[in-house]
Every structure is written in structure tokens, then in C-alpha cells.
């Protein structure tokens, strides 16, 4: 099924049939609770041991946390949000120059998730970019709005540094050397998804994105500060993650679940829609190098007196990513395919 952009600027009064989920697979929004004790971690803290402890608790319990005082200025964040809104409010003719349903394209505007494979579509348009090394991809990026390339380049570079800082803390929180993750993940790729969820006439019947885990190592999400939409699954219950001003939402991807030997969880999350306001989010994904071999970190299981065994077999990120994109987004956890028998 070919996709069709929904960010037309026109309000839909009813939900087209190809977006309507079967009754057994609807968001049941009235059953979603607010997440009260969602970790908020101040990265400017000078007490590293406390920081490492907070990261450990957040990754083991939630697989998600928020960070403030992360080093990316409010000005750069505001510019990123502003240029993203500007992009999606351009004419259809201008936007369609970048449209593609091909998931292998490094710069593309698309809709839903993987329209070639889906039976039901998702109420989302998105611009997907490769962001590292910037000089390799920037020429493919949108030329309109005129400030797009400069603003997104600046934002991408700064967010990458935040990601590296967090990967160091995650390594330490597992009792590993500070640079363990960096070494194993190799020259990390970086992708961005600028997600746009227009007002939806019937939010109870569809998703912006259905439940999924992220296939990469670490995700750094800039949430819309005014509109809720992100939800995470904890102990079988969906919780709403309310936006916090000037914070990034960080989540563990499948690769860090594998590297931590399952100590840290890559958690199911989803995006829901609302009738009133459009919602924008900017997700930055740090990914292992394609040739990087992922396997549970040896120090976590190889000690003689340790009864823990490696849960996952060795695999390359390229192998994993191919598997991830060959399936439906909301099938079983993709990591299940890489378990040791």
C-alpha cells in the first residue's frame, strides 16, 4: 500500500478506514495512568557516583529516563523545534520532493512506519535523516526551509555529545570501564526522525506509532513541551510520560539490552494522538557501526563463580537492523530472535 501524507494542513473530521485498528489492538486511553516517579536526572551534578547510581536504577527499572542540564542550549532546541514545524507546514508540493516509501534511503519524508508492509497505517508523518558524518549526508537534506541544514547540523552535533556522555555513565553503571560502550559500538551512526502527528479525529481508534522497541543503542528524544503523546509499558500497564521543560527523554535501545545481558531493558513504548493539537517530536538515534559485533559484555558473565550465562548470541548490527525492518513494528521483541538456545 503506497503511503499518503496526512500533514496537509486540513483537519480530518473522520478517521479514514486504513487507520482504524482492530478492537483488540486499540490504545484504550482511559486505562493509561500518569507516571509519577519517572526519573529526572541532572547531568550537571558533580557527584558522579550518585549520577551513576541514578542511571543504574532508571535503566534497570524503566529503560527510560529524562535528563536536564544536558549541555544543549535552549536556543538550539527552540530553533530545532521551530524549523521542524516550518518544514511540516510547507506546501504538499514542496514536501513531496522528499517523499519515499523505501526504508533504505538515507533522507526521506514518509508516513506511518513501513507502508509497504503494514495492514493498518499510523497517524504520523516523519522526516528521516542520516546525521553522521554530517558532511556525507547534508547535501541530501531539505533545502527548504533555508535555515534547515544549518540548524539541524548544529543540533545533531550537540545531541551526539549528550549521547556519548550518557553511554559513559551507562557503562560505569554496569560496573564496566567508562569507555566500554564506545569501544564496542565502534564509529556510531546517527539517524534522526522528525515526527509530526496532526490532530486526529478519533484518537481511540489508532496510534501515532504502535508499541515498539528501538533497534539501536540509545535514543535521545526531544518531546513537544505542550502536547502529551509518549507512553511506556511497565509491568503490563501503559503510562504517559509527560513532557518536562528543557529535558531530553532517553531510552535504552535493543543493543544496550543485549550488551547489558538483559540487566537493562529496551522497553516497549508508543505514541498516541489527540483531537486538539498537532504534536511534534525529534528522535535522535545512536546506532552501532554496521560491522560492530554485539554480545553480552564479558565482565558481566564470565567470572568463574558467576552462574550468569550470556542470554544473547553474537550478532552484527547490520544483521539485526535487517531483521528489524523485515518484520512488523509491533511483533514480538526483535531481540528474541537472537537468544542463545
Amino acid at each position: 500500500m503506497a503511503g499518503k501524507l496526512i500533514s496537509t494542513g486540513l483537519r480530518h473530521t473522520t478517521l479514514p478506514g486504513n487507520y482504524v485498528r482492530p478492537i483488540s489492538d486499540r490504545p484504550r486511553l482511559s486505562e493509561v495512568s500518569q507516571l509519577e516517579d519517572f526519573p529526572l536526572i541532572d547531568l550537571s551534578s558533580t557527584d558522579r557516583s550518585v549520577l551513576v547510581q541514578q542511571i543504574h536504577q532508571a535503566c534497570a527499572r524503566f529503560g527510560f529516563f529524562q535528563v536536564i542540564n544536558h549541555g544543549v542550549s535552549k536556543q538550539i532546541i527552540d530553533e530545532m523545534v521551530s524549523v521542524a514545524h516550518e518544514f511540516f507546514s510547507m506546501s504538499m508540493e514542496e514536501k513531496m520532493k522528499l517523499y519515499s516509501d523505501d526504508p533504505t534511503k538515507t533522507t526521506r519524508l514518509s508516513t506511518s512506519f513501513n507502508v509497504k508492509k503494514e495492514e493498518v497505517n499510523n497517524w504520523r508523518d516523519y522526516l528521516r535523516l542520516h546525521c553522521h558524518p554530517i558532511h556525507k549526508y547534508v547535501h541530501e537534506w531539505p533545502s527548504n526551509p533555508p535555515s534547515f541544514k544549518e540548524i539541524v547540523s548544529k543540533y545533531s552535533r550537540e545531541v551526539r555529545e549528550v549521547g556519548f556522555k550518557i553511554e559513559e555513565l551507562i557503562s560505569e553503571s554496569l560496573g564496566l570501564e567508562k569507555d566500554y560502550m564506545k569501544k564496542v559500538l565502534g564509529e556510531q551512526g546517527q539517524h534522526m526522525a522528525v515526527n509530526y502527528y496532526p490532530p486526529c479525529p478519533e484518537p481511540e481508534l489508532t496510534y501515532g506509532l504502535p508499541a515498539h522497541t528501538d533497534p539501536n543503542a540509545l535514543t535521545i528524544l526531544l518531546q513537544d513541551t505542550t502536547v502529551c503523546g509518549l507512553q511506556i509499558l511497565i509491568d503490563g500497564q501503559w503510562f504517559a510520560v509527560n513532557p518536562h521543560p528543557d529535558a531530553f527523554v532517553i531510552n535504552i535501545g535493543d543493543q544496550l539490552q543485549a550488551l547489558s545481558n538483559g540487566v537493562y531493558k529496551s522497553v516497549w513504548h508508543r505514541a498516541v494522538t489527540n483531537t486538539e493539537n498537532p504534536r511534534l517530536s525529534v528522535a535522535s538515534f545512536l546506532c552501532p557501526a554496521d560491522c560492530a559485533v554485539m554480545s553480552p559484555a564479558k565482565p558481566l558473565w564470565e567470572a568463574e563463580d558467576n552462574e550468569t550465562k550470556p542470554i544473547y548470541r553474537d550478532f552484527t548490527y547490520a544483521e539485526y537492523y535487517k531483521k528489524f525492518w523485515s518484520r512488523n513494528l509491533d511483533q514480538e521483541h526483535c531481540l528474541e530472535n537472537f537468544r542463545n538456545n
Side-chain angles (χ1 to χ4, degrees), residues 28-42:
R28 291 151 66 166
L29 298 173
S30 60
E31 296 173 23
V32 175
S33 309
Q34 299 301 320
L35 191 54
E36 300 303 339
D37 55 345
F38 192 55
L40 181 67
I41 297 174
D42 183 347

Side-chain angles (χ1 to χ4, degrees), residues 66 68 225 243-247:
Q66 298 184 92
I68 51 172
T225 51
H244 187 284
D246 305 322

Side-chain angles (χ1 to χ4, degrees), residues 173-239:
S173 74
L174 286 164
L176 303 167
E177 294 292 324
K178 183 164 108 168
D179 59 356
Y180 183 89
M181 294 286 171
K182 219 170 176 176
K183 283 180 176 164
V184 170
L185 297 170
E187 181 60 30
Q188 290 177 65
Q190 185 176 344
H191 307 168
M192 176 189 285
V194 185
N195 301 307
Y196 186 80
Y197 307 94
C200 176
E202 297 173 276
E204 283 285 352
L205 303 184
T206 194
Y207 293 107
L209 266 180
H212 64 286
T213 65
D214 289 352
N216 49 297
L218 194 73
T219 301
I220 303 149
L221 179 75
L222 176 58
Q223 278 217 84
D224 197 312
T225 51
T226 54
V227 189
C228 300
L230 175 65
Q231 299 181 348
I232 68 176
L233 188 66
I234 302 166
D235 303 329
Q237 164 78 41
W238 285 102
F239 289 90

Side-chain angles (χ1 to χ4, degrees), residues 230-270:
L230 175 65
Q231 299 181 348
I232 68 176
L233 188 66
I234 302 166
D235 303 329
Q237 164 78 41
W238 285 102
F239 289 90
V241 176
N242 290 334
H244 187 284
D246 305 322
F248 287 126
V249 177
I250 309 294
N251 68 281
I252 295 290
D254 296 351
Q255 306 312 309
L256 293 193
Q257 177 169 328
L259 287 175
S260 73
N261 205 30
V263 174
Y264 292 167
K265 299 288 184 283
S266 174
V267 170
W268 293 93
H269 54 288
R270 66 187 190 182

